[in-house]
Amino acid sequence: MSKKIILTGDRPTGRLHIGHFVGSLRRRVELQESGLFDKIFIMIADAQALTDNADNPEKVRQNIIEVALDYLSCGLDPSKSTIFIQSQVSELTELTFFYNNLVTVQRLQRNPTVKAEIQMRGFSDSDEGDNKAGTPVGFFCYPISQAADITAFKATTVPVGEDQAPMIEQTREIVRKFNSTYGETLVEPEIMLPDNAACLRLPGTDGKAKMSKSLGNCIYLSDSADELWAKVKGMYTDPLHLQVSDPGHIEGNTVFTYLDAFCRDEHFPKFRECFIGKKVSFEFNSLDELKEQYKAGGLGDMMIKKFLFEVLNDILSPIRERRHELEKNIPYVYEVLRKGSEVARAEAADTLAAVKRAMRINYFDAGVLDELIAEQTERFKA
Ligand code: TRP
């Protein structure tokens, strides 16, 4: 049976938030525990983070440990998953260099995620110096480096959010191109998307399209209970729900989107108290029942916010506690990363050797040199 291998990762540009959690982290832990995968590689993509942070390596350096702490506190287990730092696997850059030749500038320009990111970052079309700088080449080409990340580990499965779909598609193209040009060598990976629509792209607390640090609308895994409550209390709900008695709307109501992503039936008996009020009380057994009441009117935003807080806190407090423990043991965290990077390096070296063999640029491999000498001697004799 062919091996199932996972590779995925995150750029270390900030602490991880609950969008990362529902979009990928929670799933990774489930996959890790499922026993369905022979190997799991989780990469902290510092080299990719540097493609648009070249002037700020310190930020990337500081966030490596934040991301590692978030990983471990969510339940990624170094005895089951290899956690490593991208820049420490130099084979990845070598693979990228060879893949560069298999991709056109025009194809890269069509990558919708790169396009959107270039816009978001305000990189200019023309390069007029520091104030209106153009797109860094490394940033423009990061889909190719991401193909190297994935193929180096012979990944069959890449669990990521939907914004990463164009990267996986581009990786598959590179694999096909490589294999048809140089012979069957690389494994074509498949994307694995989150299974719940609310998890695909969790909006920020302000209801804006995406949770993102620059918009200041994130709930971090490492937020305290007080910070969590302050953020939930301030969340965007339904602008038409002015009076408690008014009918409420679910669509576009961020509190309900979060409940869709996090709430389970067992939360209702556990946090029954939230719906016992001074004036009115309710008893709900499922999210559907809660939604029905909200739509009918009479259910205040404060009640559902209290409930959402309890649900989130129920999920986040064990993570928070584990993080506090790990923060007291920083040497352990770096040891996990060091060992993981060593394991990752051996794996990537194996693929790089196969790639060089396929391209016949392995001149000094055992046996190859003798053959090469014989061939060229013969040629110059003639
Ligand atoms: N681009 C991903 C992100 O921004 C991070 C990443 C880098 C990645 N290399 C990868 C994800 C390989 C999956 C596979 O989050």
Side-chain angles (χ1 to χ4, degrees):
M1 216 180 66
S2 71
K3 288 198 161 189
K4 297 275 269 171
I5 298 173
I6 285 180
L7 176 115
T8 187
D10 302 277
R11 293 181 199 169
T13 51
R15 290 178 286 155
L16 299 181
H17 52 63
I18 62 171
H20 294 114
F21 182 74
V22 287
S24 62
L25 276 175
R26 180 168 66 180
R27 188 69 169 295
R28 287 179 204 172
V29 176
E30 282 167 18
L31 296 171
Q32 170 188 273
E33 300 307 323
S34 74
L36 293 170
F37 294 87
D38 299 286
K39 291 180 188 170
I40 300 179
F41 295 94
I42 310 289
M43 180 179 77
I44 302 182
D46 63 334
Q48 189 175 105
L50 286 166
T51 63
D52 67 326
N53 285 287
D55 54 352
N56 202 356
E58 190 55 25
K59 167 173 136 190
V60 174
R61 186 170 172 275
Q62 294 299 333
N63 280 305
I64 288 175
I65 187 82
E66 295 283 359
V67 170
L69 285 166
D70 285 330
Y71 282 170
L72 296 171
S73 49
C74 282
L76 285 178
D77 175 350
S79 73
K80 298 173 184 161
S81 301
T82 301
I83 304 173
F84 70 98
I85 304 178
Q86 184 183 29
S87 65
Q88 302 309 294
V89 183
S90 48
E91 285 77 2
L92 297 174
T93 57
E94 214 172 323
L95 284 173
T96 304
F97 197 70
F98 298 129
Y99 296 174
N100 280 343
N101 306 331
L102 306 177
V103 181
T104 65
V105 170
Q106 291 70 27
R107 174 64 183 87
L108 275 174
Q109 273 166 339
R110 271 193 288 123
N111 185 308
T113 299
V114 177
K115 253 197 210 165
E117 286 177 326
I118 285 175
Q119 266 232 318
M120 227 167 62
R121 285 163 175 73
F123 294 141
S124 153
D125 288 344
S126 57
D127 194 336
E128 294 160 31
D130 280 350
N131 291 329
K132 271 192 93 189
T135 310
V137 171
F139 184 81
F140 179 63
C141 297
Y142 90 74
I144 305 176
S145 123
Q146 195 154 332
D149 302 336
I150 295 169
T151 53
F153 300 94
K154 307 169 187 75
T156 55
T157 314
V158 187
V160 281
E162 76 181 328
D163 62 318
Q164 295 296 303
M167 307 303 158
I168 314 306
E169 198 39 54
Q170 195 142 30
T171 301
R172 290 164 62 89
E173 284 174 33
I174 291 172
V175 168
R176 290 196 288 263
K177 181 90 187 202
F178 188 100
N179 288 348
S180 67
T181 310
Y182 305 116
E184 215 44 50
T185 312
L186 301 174
V187 177
E188 201 171 318
E190 267 167 38
I191 190 169
M192 185 186 246
L193 290 169
D195 39 16
N196 166 334
C199 299
L200 265 176
R201 182 165 295 206
L202 198 74
T205 51
D206 56 357
K208 293 255 167 59
K210 206 177 163 179
M211 196 169 271
S212 101
K213 195 176 52 179
S214 51
L215 295 173
N217 60 3
C218 299
I219 293 176
Y220 293 101
L221 291 170
S222 47
D223 279 347
S224 68
D226 287 345
E227 286 168 313
L228 178 62
W229 172 236
K231 288 179 182 179
V232 170
K233 202 165 62 175
M235 266 175 80
Y236 179 84
T237 55
D238 171 9
L240 303 173
H241 193 226
L242 297 173
Q243 308 275 326
V244 172
S245 56
D246 289 341
H249 297 82
I250 306 291
E251 237 121 276
N253 186 326
T254 314
V255 173
F256 280 97
T257 310
Y258 282 21
L259 286 172
D260 278 328
F262 290 97
C263 174
R264 294 182 305 266
D265 282 351
E266 64 258 34
H267 288 133
F268 286 94
K270 195 164 176 181
F271 303 120
R272 172 185 318 278
E273 300 276 307
C274 296
F275 299 109
I276 300 176
K278 286 198 195 93
K279 290 190 203 125
V280 277
S281 296
F282 301 94
E283 181 162 341
F284 301 115
N285 296 302
S286 71
L287 192 50
D288 284 338
E289 286 180 23
L290 176 65
K291 286 179 180 172
E292 282 317 307
Q293 185 64 58
Y294 190 77
K295 283 195 268 190
L299 176 57
D301 281 350
M302 215 47 183
M303 260 187 185
I304 53 163
K305 283 183 174 176
K306 285 218 173 91
F307 180 63
L308 174 62
F309 165 77
E310 292 297 348
V311 167
L312 286 175
N313 199 44
D314 191 53
I315 294 167
L316 297 180
S317 58
I319 296 175
R320 203 184 290 136
E321 276 160 37
R322 250 175 285 153
R323 201 183 208 276
H324 286 318
E325 286 311 304
L326 288 159
E327 284 169 359
K328 292 183 211 146
N329 199 355
I330 296 299
Y332 163 77
V333 181
Y334 278 111
E335 187 56 13
V336 165
L337 296 176
R338 197 190 60 77
K339 275 198 197 138
S341 300
E342 221 168 79
V343 171
R345 196 150 188 212
E347 194 68 43
D350 186 66
T351 303
L352 179 61
V355 158
K356 286 184 164 175
R357 226 179 294 129
M359 295 175 70
R360 295 175 42 87
I361 55 172
N362 57 336
Y363 316 114
F364 303 139
D365 277 5
V368 175
L369 183 58
D370 290 345
E371 215 175 279
L372 191 57
I373 289 172
E375 175 192 313
Q376 296 301 323
T377 305
E378 200 54 37
R379 194 180 135 221
F380 285 106
K381 242 196 266 171

